[in-house]
Amino acid sequence: MWLRYRSARRQSPDKPQSDAARDDGTQEIARDLAYRRLAIVNVAFFGEPGCGERGWVLIDAGVVGTKALIKQAAAERFGPDARPAAIVMTHGHFDHIGALEDLADEWDVPVFAHPLEQPYLDGRAAYPPPDPSVGGGLMSLLSPLFPRGPVDVGRWLQPLPADGSVPHMPGWRWLHTPGHTPGHVSLWREADRIIVAGDAFITTRQESAYAVAVQSPEMHGPPMYYTVDWAKARMSVEALASLRPELAVTGHGPAMRGQEMRMALAELARDFDHLAVPPQGKYVENPIDADSAYRAP
């Protein structure tokens, strides 16, 4: 039976006074970093409050139907009608690209992603089918209904710089963290040890609709039903745990900080095969590498 690590107590990084004053559902976790939960997924906003036109960066783009909510949160945080300097994608699954085409077009903004993720973002490829047999929850069972892409933002799409820098995010570096998808990336700032992990690891049991609704903080590996290479997913979690982050915001679940979070992440890395990998499943037995992952729409 698959077991999960459950953190005993959340050490919240959120700032309730500033969040309440803004009252738009956005959680500020650092002076220049905030996130907002949109249904089943988080999007993140980098930039100083009030920085205005082209002074900020959107990280991921939510599910379908959340364009207005993303724009509202951006306007509240950065100024009315303030467009971003860039959109940075951790990866291109349906719950991270829902508003991407509309926002890229309306804002006329560059979209940055890892080269291995670009086929899923420029119309060339659809993701492999999910595996509904893993995880034992409603989200897993429903996963065959989730759209697999591709979307096409090729007009705006650019590769992340080969030197590891993140455009318009000084002090940040992107880290290739494959496994969940071939070109998945996480974002890391050494100065204050913040990780934007995407779905390399998450802080809720995404396979369960109940857990997604309740959002109790729990340390988990990537969503099981969409992870195609568990060996690479393990190495990605090991690499992120070795950084010993102070604060982590993930694609699913609440942001977490401090020693308790680091201990949970270290345990996940150490016991990944036991805590994160399903005992059996399509991609457990037959992982998909980057080349064979490319599928026709």
Side-chain angles (χ1 to χ4, degrees):
M1 180 179 179
W2 175 71
L3 300 175
R4 72 175 185 266
Y5 181 95
R6 181 179 178 90
S7 114
R9 179 175 57 88
R10 178 182 182 187
Q11 294 182 338
S12 172
D14 305 337
K15 299 183 177 181
Q17 289 183 336
S18 56
D19 294 339
R22 191 174 49 253
D23 194 28
D24 65 351
T26 303
Q27 306 294 312
E28 183 177 291
I29 52 178
R31 170 70 181 174
D32 58 359
L33 186 65
Y35 75 99
R36 183 169 183 178
R37 178 189 173 195
L38 299 171
I40 64 171
V41 71
N42 299 324
V43 300
F45 302 88
F46 169 78
E48 293 283 338
C51 62
E53 178 79 356
R54 304 301 193 192
W56 61 281
V57 173
L58 176 67
I59 303 168
D60 289 342
V63 294
V64 170
T66 57
K67 172 186 170 183
L69 295 174
I70 292 172
K71 290 182 62 180
Q72 174 200 2
E76 290 284 347
R77 186 163 180 82
F78 304 116
D81 300 318
R83 295 176 295 174
I87 300 174
V88 175
M89 300 302 301
T90 63
H91 63 298
H93 278 154
F94 82 99
D95 49 348
H96 295 254
I97 53 83
L100 182 61
E101 289 179 292
D102 288 344
L103 289 174
D105 182 39
E106 180 173 332
W107 284 336
D108 191 24
V109 61
V111 177
F112 291 93
H114 191 280
L116 291 176
E117 206 70 8
Q118 291 193 356
Y120 308 111
L121 297 170
D122 64 10
R124 283 183 286 161
Y127 284 105
D131 184 355
S133 71
V134 296
L138 182 60
M139 296 294 289
S140 291
L141 292 175
L142 293 175
S143 63
L145 303 178
F146 301 158
R148 295 192 287 122
V151 296
D152 187 358
V153 292
R155 174 182 168 189
W156 302 277
L157 190 60
Q158 298 183 32
L160 285 162
D163 65 2
S165 63
V166 183
H168 308 286
M169 294 180 65
W172 290 80
R173 298 187 62 78
W174 64 265
L175 309 172
H176 187 204
T177 48
H180 187 56
T181 69
H184 188 286
V185 299
S186 303
L187 309 181
W188 167 247
R189 183 162 66 181
E190 174 71 28
D192 49 7
R193 311 192 72 76
I194 295 178
I195 191 83
V196 179
D199 287 2
F201 67 87
I202 56 177
T203 57
T204 190
R205 186 187 169 210
Q206 191 62 22
E207 299 80 17
S208 164
Y210 175 79
V212 169
V214 173
Q215 294 280 291
S216 296
E218 303 175 2
M219 186 64 69
H220 287 268
M224 289 185 178
Y225 48 83
Y226 258 159
T227 298
V228 297
D229 189 326
W230 286 101
K232 288 181 179 175
R234 181 195 310 111
M235 289 187 289
S236 293
V237 169
E238 289 171 346
L240 296 179
S242 72
L243 296 172
R244 296 185 55 78
E246 173 61 23
L247 171 64
V249 57
T250 66
H252 305 276
M256 297 178 69
R257 75 156 72 242
Q259 179 65 14
E260 185 179 34
M261 178 271 292
R262 284 190 294 275
M263 291 174 61
L265 184 55
E267 181 172 349
L268 178 65
R270 184 176 63 249
D271 297 331
F272 188 85
D273 289 350
H274 179 58
L275 296 175
V277 182
Q280 58 187 17
K282 180 189 305 185
Y283 301 119
V284 177
E285 287 85 18
N286 299 291
I288 294 182
D289 63 27
D291 292 334
S292 62
Y294 299 156
R295 303 291 178 87

